[in-house]
Amino acid sequence: MNDYLSKQASGSADQPRVPLSSSFADAMHQVLSAKGWFSLPVHMLSGMTALCFRLSVHRQLHPDSATAYNWAAEHFVAADLIGIIASQGAGFNFSPTFPLYQKQAVAAIRQSLEQGTGVVCWKDQFVVITRCDDRRQLFYYKELNSAAEHELPYEQLGRNDSPYWYGQIYEGQIQKDMLQVIRESFIQAVYKAEVHDPMLPESDYACGLKAYDAMLEALEDKTYDAAGAYKTLVFYAGMKQDTASYAREASLYWPELEGIAEHYTALAAVYNQITHTLCKQTVQAPEGPCSLDAQSLMPLLREAKRIETAAIQSIRLLLREPIENRFHDVGLR
C-alpha cells in the first residue's frame, strides 16, 4: 500500500474541516505521518480506518457522546485495516491492578519513544506522547489542537479526571492493497450504521442510524443537555466532512463509489447547516436551561438521517455479495 500512500490525493472538502479535539483519528494520523507510515491527509486515514463512519450518542446528548464507544475494539480494527501492527492497553484507574498495568505501560511507552514512535494515550481527550525524560521521570505530550508540550509524570500516567486509562502503541507496518482497504472500509460503514456497540447500554445510548431517532426524541422532548448537544453535533459535523472528503477521493481509486460519494457530500452539507444554526446562538452551561433552537435543528437532522440511510443502502447494493457472505456479522473480516 506504500505506493498508494505516497500519492497525493486530490479533491478537498467544500468547507474547512471542523477541529476534532478528541478525535482518535487525528491523534493516530499525527503519529503515523511523523513515522512515515501514512502520507495521505487525515480524512483519508479517518475513512480507510472506518473511524469517520461511527455515530453514537447519549440519549440526552451528554458531552461524552463523541467518545462513547468500544475504544479497544474499534482502534484495534482501525490499525489492522490499514496494515498497522499495534498493541494497546485499557482499563479503569481505580482497579486494584492498575499500578501493575501502569508500570508496564510506562515501560512500553518508553520503548516505543526510543524507537522514534509516538504513542496515543487518553488524557481526558486523545493526546500524543512525543518524548520522555528519564532523569525527571516525565513524559511530554501534545494535545491535538495545540503545538504546546505538556508534562506528564510517569506516576500520573492513566490517572485522569475520568476513570479511564488507554494507550495504543504502533509497532510496524505491512503492505495492503489500497482498493481492498477501501472496499473493507465501506463494509465496516454498514456495520457501524446497523449494529449497536455492545459496550454501550441501549437504555442510555443509541448507535448508527438509530442515533438520529435518539437525537430527535431528545430535542422534541427537551430532555437534552444543551452544551453536550452542541459539542456532539459539532464533532459529528467534522466527522461527516471527513466522510465526504474520503468518499470523493476513494472514488478516484474505485469509480463505482461516485454515487455514494454524492450522498456523503450532501450529508456534509446538511451538517454544515447544523453547525451554522448552532453557531448563531449562545449555548449555556450544562446546568443551565435548554438553549438550542430545536425547531431549526430537527428538520435538518431528519434530512441527515434520510441521506445517510440512502448512503448505507447504496453501499449495501454495491457490496451486496461480500456483505451477504458475512450473514449476520457484517463486521467480521
Side-chain angles (χ1 to χ4, degrees), residues 300-311:
L300 292 172
L301 286 171
R302 292 190 186 99
E303 178 65 4
K305 178 186 177 182
R306 183 192 68 79
I307 295 171
E308 191 154 4
T309 300

Side-chain angles (χ1 to χ4, degrees), residues 15-272:
Q15 299 290 334
R17 188 171 186 272
V18 174
L20 308 180
S21 61
S22 57
S23 166
F24 178 81
D26 285 276
M28 185 182 195
H29 185 267
Q30 184 172 316
V31 175
L32 297 184
S33 60
K35 188 69 176 178
W37 287 346
F38 197 90
S39 59
L40 293 177
V42 64
H43 63 258
M44 289 298 287
L45 179 70
S46 188
M48 291 164 66
T49 57
L51 290 167
C52 66
F53 293 108
R54 181 182 60 79
L55 179 61
S56 57
V57 300
H58 189 277
R59 292 189 181 277
Q60 277 71 56
L61 300 178
H62 289 178
D64 73 339
S65 294
T67 53
Y69 61 97
N70 187 340
W71 295 348
E74 291 208 20
H75 297 168
F76 175 82
V77 170
D80 187 58
L81 283 171
I82 58 173
I84 298 297
I85 302 168
S87 60
Q88 56 189 356
F92 297 97
N93 54 28
F94 55 74
S95 169
T97 57
F98 171 71
L100 298 176
Y101 283 106
Q102 183 193 52
K103 182 179 180 180
Q104 175 60 32
V106 167
I109 292 171
R110 289 177 59 249
Q111 182 178 14
S112 181
L113 295 174
E114 288 171 1
Q115 296 171 353
T117 309
V119 175
V120 177
C121 281
W122 177 254
K123 186 82 173 63
D124 296 308
Q125 62 176 301
F126 292 113
V127 303
V128 175
I129 295 180
T130 55
R131 61 190 183 96
C132 62
D133 184 336
D134 280 340
R135 182 181 62 82
R136 299 181 62 200
Q137 297 284 287
L138 289 175
F139 288 123
Y140 295 88
Y141 70 92
K142 291 183 178 180
E143 298 176 348
L144 304 181
N145 56 0
S146 172
E149 277 192 331
H150 303 273
E151 295 182 352
L152 176 62
Y154 290 171
E155 63 182 12
Q156 291 300 312
L157 180 71
R159 298 189 183 279
N160 307 308
D161 292 337
S162 55
Y164 317 111
W165 67 270
Y166 174 83
Q168 187 174 60
I169 294 174
Y170 306 107
E171 301 170 354
Q173 181 185 38
I174 59 175
Q175 292 190 1
K176 301 194 75 172
D177 178 74
M178 183 66 162
L179 185 55
Q180 289 184 352
V181 172
I182 290 172
R183 286 167 60 90
E184 184 59 42
S185 71
F186 281 96
I187 294 175
Q188 294 296 316
V190 173
Y191 174 77
K192 292 180 187 297
E194 298 180 348
V195 178
H196 185 86
D197 188 324
M199 291 288 288
L200 300 177
E202 290 193 55
S203 59
D204 296 324
Y205 293 90
C207 300
L209 294 174
K210 291 183 178 179
Y212 285 108
D213 296 328
M215 287 189 281
L216 288 166
E217 183 177 348
L219 290 172
E220 186 172 3
D221 295 345
K222 298 188 182 300
T223 57
Y224 59 88
D225 175 303
Y230 179 92
K231 180 178 179 180
T232 298
L233 290 169
V234 169
F235 177 87
Y236 283 121
M239 296 284 270
K240 302 310 178 185
Q241 287 180 22
D242 274 4
T243 307
S245 297
Y246 171 61
R248 283 197 297 269
E249 295 188 22
S251 68
L252 300 177
Y253 299 96
W254 191 18
E256 287 84 351
L257 287 172
E258 288 181 359
I260 294 167
E262 290 177 3
H263 285 307
Y264 283 116
T265 297
L267 181 64
V270 173
Y271 270 89
N272 284 333

Side-chain angles (χ1 to χ4, degrees), residues 262-332:
E262 290 177 3
H263 285 307
Y264 283 116
T265 297
L267 181 64
V270 173
Y271 270 89
N272 284 333
Q273 294 181 55
I274 289 172
T275 56
H276 180 68
T277 299
L278 290 168
C279 291
K280 287 193 300 184
Q281 54 198 311
T282 301
V283 178
Q284 298 180 10
E287 63 271 19
C290 297
S291 58
L292 298 184
D293 183 1
Q295 294 305 311
S296 296
L297 289 172
M298 285 192 289
L300 292 172
L301 286 171
R302 292 190 186 99
E303 178 65 4
K305 178 186 177 182
R306 183 192 68 79
I307 295 171
E308 191 154 4
T309 300
I312 296 301
Q313 291 173 343
S314 296
I315 296 171
R316 269 196 164 274
L317 181 63
L318 178 62
L319 293 165
R320 57 189 178 278
E321 184 175 351
I323 288 176
E324 289 174 359
N325 286 343
R326 297 183 186 186
F327 300 98
H328 301 297
D329 194 349
V330 178
L332 180 64

